[in-house]
């Protein structure tokens, strides 16, 4: 049989291919035009939004202030009445620009439990306090170890905050440190807290401070050299929280500090204090003062001055070198990690002003 199926000629094939190519180019052209239009619209809105934000910026969300008014920590009661004058000597020559609000965090709390006393007994037993304690209140217990310098340790069995003292300061002729003993002092202090299981993970050992003392009239006084040192105080500091430094009542002394003395030729813990508080993850935002407002408070004597007034500058003239935002933890138990504005100046001067605006501080 004859095959009657029509066949494409070469000419017809080339015409068909040319038509497909034309249509494909047309589709690609209009697709590119459409994409260009969409991209242009996107860029117009993006640039327009940027210009709008530059001219009429969107205000930040209002502070939530979910904790209500915050408790006032008592350091403001220590504001100085001394006549001081302040000048600005920052790197830029200007006051810094602070955000309009800051996070205020709740402090973690240890809840009472029936095993608290047993756990506390286990801890203090590891540093030599084996006898049963005397109960001073529901939460405060006291242990005495008469065999070692007459040591007495008083602890809150729920928070594990404690202080320990001994008869060491009663001896004005206590041994002085040699180089070996001085080098071991820091590790002896750390080991003491590790034995109590009270060396927190948020301690920054790079910030640990060492202060040297002699003994006079049952008190520690600054030593002039290692050779005259009869006691070494080791202070431990917490690392930054939410990228801001944590400050205490003293710059060189923290609420967690251990005093080492030389007993029978060896460095021993003779005093210790631990008033440790750490923030939780629970927070709310609060409005804060500007650097200008806080600087005025400093100049008007409404700041906590953290060092000896007599050591600063000439004629009470203070040159402020740095101003920053930080958080404050005092020696007494507090509910919140409180934001502060920190002023640092010449000759070791430092001062704190509350960062949260006065309307949200319950004075």
């Amino acid at each position: 049989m004859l095959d009657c199926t029509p066949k494409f000629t070469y000419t017809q094939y080339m015409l068909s291919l040319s038509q497909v190519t034309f249509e494909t180019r047309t589709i690609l052209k209009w697709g590119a035009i459409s994409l260009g239009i969409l991209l242009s619209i996107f860029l117009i809105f993006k640039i327009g939004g940027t210009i709008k934000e530059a001219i009429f910026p969107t205000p930040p969300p209002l502070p939530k202030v979910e904790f209500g008014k915050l408790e006032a920590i008592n350091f403001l009661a220590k504001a100085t009445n001394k006549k001081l004058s302040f000048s600005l000597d920052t790197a830029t020559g200007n006051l810094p620009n602070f955000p309009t609000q800051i996070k205020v965090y709740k402090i973690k709390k240890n809840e009472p439990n029936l095993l608290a006393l047993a756990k506390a007994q286990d801890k203090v037993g590891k540093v030599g306090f084996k006898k049963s304690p005397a109960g001073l209140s529901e939460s405060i217990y006291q242990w005495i170890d008469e065999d070692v310098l007459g040591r007495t340790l008083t602890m809150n069995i729920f928070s594990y905050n404690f202080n320990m003292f001994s008869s060491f300061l009663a001896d004005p002729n206590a041994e002085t440190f040699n180089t070996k003993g001085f080098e071991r002092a820091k590790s002896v202090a750390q080991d003491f807290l590790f034995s109590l299981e009270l060396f927190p993970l948020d301690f920054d050992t790079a910030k640990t401070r060492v202060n040297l003392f002699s003994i006079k009239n049952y008190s520690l006084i600054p030593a002039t050299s290692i050779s005259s040192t009869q006691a070494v105080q080791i202070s431990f500091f917490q690392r930054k929280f939410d990228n801001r430094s944590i400050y205490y009542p003293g710059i060189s002394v923290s609420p967690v500090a251990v005093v080492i003395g030389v007993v029978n030729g060896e460095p021993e813990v003779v005093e210790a204090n631990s008033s440790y508080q750490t923030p939780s993850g629970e927070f709310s935002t609060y409005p804060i003062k500007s650097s200008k407002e806080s600087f005025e408070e400093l100049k008007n004597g409404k700041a906590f001055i953290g060092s000896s007034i007599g050591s600063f500058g000439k004629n009470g003239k203070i040159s402020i070198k740095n101003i920053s935002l930080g958080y404050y933890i005092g020696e007494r138990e507090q509910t919140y990690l409180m934001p502060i504005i920190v002023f640092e100046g010449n000759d070791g001067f430092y001062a704190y002003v509350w960062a949260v605006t006065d309307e949200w501080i319950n004075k």
Side-chain angles (χ1 to χ4, degrees):
M1 295 180 61
L2 294 174
D3 185 1
C4 297
T5 304
K7 298 183 180 296
F8 286 107
T9 64
Y10 176 76
T11 302
Q12 292 173 319
Y13 174 77
M14 291 302 295
L15 288 173
S16 176
L17 181 61
S18 177
Q19 183 178 5
V20 170
T21 301
F22 174 77
E23 291 176 351
T24 300
R25 287 176 177 173
T26 301
I27 292 170
L28 290 175
K29 180 181 74 173
W30 285 107
I33 292 172
S34 299
L35 181 61
I37 292 172
L38 290 174
L39 182 60
S40 298
I41 293 172
F42 172 78
L43 290 174
I44 288 170
F45 276 99
K46 187 74 174 178
I47 294 171
T50 302
I51 294 173
K52 181 263 178 188
E53 283 297 317
I55 301 174
F56 305 107
T58 301
L62 293 175
K64 295 182 179 180
V65 294
E66 294 169 303
F67 303 143
K69 285 194 173 185
L70 305 173
E71 62 189 2
I73 309 300
N74 65 355
F75 77 54
L76 283 180
K78 299 178 182 178
T80 179
N81 292 321
K82 299 284 186 179
K83 187 64 176 178
L84 301 175
S85 62
F86 297 93
S87 60
L88 198 61
D89 189 25
T90 60
T92 62
N94 300 313
L95 292 165
N97 292 318
F98 289 150
T100 58
Q101 56 185 270
I102 196 171
K103 293 177 181 177
V104 174
Y105 290 86
K106 277 191 172 182
I107 294 288
K108 289 181 180 178
K109 300 297 181 185
N110 294 312
E111 297 298 328
N113 66 83
L114 296 176
L115 298 177
L117 179 57
K119 290 181 178 179
Q121 179 66 68
D122 180 62
K123 289 179 182 294
V124 301
K126 293 175 181 177
V127 292
F129 292 90
K130 304 294 186 181
K131 296 181 180 180
S132 297
L136 305 183
S137 71
E138 181 185 4
S139 59
I140 306 298
Y141 283 76
Q142 188 173 83
W143 286 261
I144 296 176
D145 182 7
E146 298 176 351
D147 295 334
V148 182
L149 293 173
R151 298 185 307 167
T152 298
L153 187 149
T154 305
M155 175 180 283
N156 182 316
I157 63 173
F158 300 137
S159 67
Y160 301 127
N161 288 338
F162 73 92
N163 65 73
M164 189 199 82
F165 63 90
S166 70
S167 61
F168 182 77
L169 295 185
D171 183 8
N173 299 314
E175 297 179 58
T176 56
F177 276 78
N178 55 32
T179 303
K180 182 179 179 181
F182 178 76
E183 291 173 348
R184 287 186 54 204
K186 184 177 177 180
S187 62
V188 170
Q190 288 183 351
D191 290 346
F192 178 77
L193 293 176
F194 273 119
S195 296
L196 286 165
E197 299 176 358
L198 296 177
F199 194 89
L201 294 176
D202 68 343
F203 276 179
D204 185 348
T205 55
K207 293 182 177 180
T208 301
R209 296 289 294 268
V210 178
N211 294 309
L212 312 183
F213 293 96
S214 299
I215 299 173
K216 184 178 181 180
N217 297 329
Y218 302 95
S219 300
L220 296 175
I221 61 172
T224 56
S225 64
I226 293 179
S227 62
S228 64
T229 297
Q230 294 170 294
V232 175
Q233 183 187 60
I234 314 294
S235 287
F236 299 95
F237 295 80
Q238 289 161 279
R239 61 172 55 96
K240 287 184 176 181
F241 187 83
D242 199 14
N243 205 35
R244 300 195 188 281
S245 296
I246 294 177
Y247 295 87
Y248 310 111
I251 286 291
S252 62
V253 180
S254 86
V256 180
V258 178
V259 177
I260 308 298
V262 179
V263 180
N264 297 323
E266 294 294 330
E268 298 282 352
V269 176
V270 296
E271 284 190 9
N273 182 77
S274 177
S275 182
Y276 172 75
Q277 300 180 77
T278 189
S280 68
E282 186 178 356
F283 70 88
S284 186
T285 50
Y286 278 77
I288 64 171
K289 301 165 187 171
S290 68
S291 57
K292 182 179 179 181
E293 289 174 305
S294 60
F295 190 40
E296 288 302 314
E297 289 195 16
L298 173 68
K299 291 191 289 186
N300 292 327
K302 296 180 180 179
F304 169 77
I305 307 298
S307 300
S308 172
I309 300 301
S311 65
F312 301 136
K314 296 179 179 179
N315 301 319
K317 295 182 179 180
I318 309 299
S319 179
I320 298 300
K321 306 289 186 180
N322 188 56
I323 306 171
S324 62
L325 277 171
Y327 286 110
Y328 178 83
I329 292 181
E331 294 180 349
R332 295 184 179 180
E333 187 175 304
Q334 58 194 67
T335 305
Y336 304 103
L337 182 67
M338 295 295 287
I340 55 174
I341 296 168
V342 182
F343 295 87
E344 300 172 68
N346 54 290
D347 301 321
F349 174 88
Y350 69 94
Y352 306 149
V353 170
W354 288 129
V356 174
T357 55
D358 290 345
E359 63 184 314
W360 290 106
I361 297 293
N362 193 10
K363 294 184 178 181

